[in-house]
Amino acid sequence: MNDPKIGDVIAPLVVDITVEQIRAYAEASGDDNPAHLDEAAARAAGLPGIIAHGMFTMALLGRALTAWTGDASRVRVFGVRFSGMVRPGDRLTARGKVVAVDKAAGTVNLELWVDNQRGETVISKGVGVVALPLQPF
Amino acid sequence: MLNRSLIGKKYPPHTVTASAEQIARFASAIGDTSPDFSSGQQVPVTFGAVYAFKALRGVIGDPELHADVPGRIHGGQEFRFQRYPRSGETLTVRANVEDISERGHLEFLVVRVDVSDADGDQVMEIRSTLILRKPE
């Protein structure tokens, strides 16, 4: 992200979602809600089957963001809205682009989102504020 | 219906310490192979969800709030960093009900979790927006 400019895009990150990944995220995060782990419980809750944690999808977007910044500690703000369900078998693409560069404040603002193989947005209105390379914490 | 009289309610603080192993396991689960994370030297940018998890669950489970209902969905999430947490650091986690609002047949609960360090300095603030369907 040397000398970022408005319109620069971050490298898209493509991930195929599997049941194993969702289980691993449940274990690593502590979020063992049955909607993510148990097909029958998910259906009983009115879902089409198990769904990925929103936080797992956000974590993938975070990966794309920090791959671009090169250093997670540059991230000042990272926020999203969850706008769609993610199911095993979905192919997600995490994306982002620079929307503002404030050299005086030493920050870059990004718009961030995640879409699936049908072009549906599953994370919308993501916001990232990252520090320019010269201003680490 | 959510209990609006609880807007501003603060919950008792607790401490969390994330080990390098726990951070590495989280990084592996999200498929991030960066050595900064696998060594536990840095935390992935959404690792705050782990710091906040118990506090958030405590708020949702508050019987006076009426948030522990089926069909609740996670509508949004935000992390704001004042500085970056380190592995092995003992952090204090405080949750409060920041806002409750409604729009149409939906209710919105915003839970804020403040994470601070041993000196009392703020490390990050974490906001979770949960969406509930109003009872018929």
Side-chain angles (χ1 to χ4, degrees), chain B residues 27-124:
Chain B
S28 164
I30 67 170
D32 200 320
T33 56
S34 160
D36 291 341
F37 304 138
S38 55
S39 65
Q41 285 193 331
Q42 274 197 355
V43 304
V45 73
T46 61
F47 189 78
V50 176
Y51 294 134
F53 186 71
K54 185 179 161 192
L56 184 58
R57 204 164 248 196
V59 174
I60 292 167
D62 179 349
E64 293 184 343
L65 185 60
H66 308 142
D68 198 7
V69 295
R72 183 186 60 244
I73 61 168
H74 193 177
Q77 184 69 32
E78 184 190 70
F79 300 93
R80 286 181 177 268
F81 297 90
Q82 278 74 38
R83 75 159 171 82
Y84 223 68
R86 292 181 286 270
S87 71
E89 190 173 19
T90 297
L91 300 166
T92 299
V93 177
R94 288 182 177 81
N96 70 81
V97 175
E98 188 168 74
D99 193 33
I100 295 171
S101 60
E102 58 185 288
R103 202 159 60 230
H105 60 287
L106 300 175
E107 289 189 286
F108 298 82
L109 167 65
V110 182
V111 178
R112 172 171 164 174
V113 174
D114 289 294
V115 179
S116 55
D117 64 18
D119 297 330
D121 292 329
Q122 179 97 351
V123 174
M124 65 167 100

Side-chain angles (χ1 to χ4, degrees), chain A residues 14-101:
Chain A
V14 180
V15 178
D16 291 310
I17 302 300
T18 66
V19 171
E20 291 71 28
Q21 282 171 340
I22 297 170
R23 288 212 181 104
Y25 186 80
E27 213 164 290
S29 68
D31 187 346
D32 56 1
N33 185 321
H36 308 303
L37 298 167
D38 180 338
E39 197 69 29
R43 286 178 199 276
L47 297 167
I50 65 166
I51 58 169
H53 306 73
M55 289 310 303
F56 178 59
T57 308
M58 186 179 187
L60 300 177
L61 185 56
R63 259 178 72 186
L65 175 63
T66 53
W68 184 74
T69 62
D71 181 348
S73 70
R74 287 198 210 291
V75 177
R76 299 290 192 267
V77 180
F78 181 33
V80 301
R81 282 197 204 170
F82 300 108
S83 52
M85 276 189 287
V86 175
R87 307 211 51 222
D90 282 351
R91 168 167 286 197
L92 301 185
T93 307
R95 306 176 191 273
K97 66 177 183 201
V98 174
V99 292
V101 179

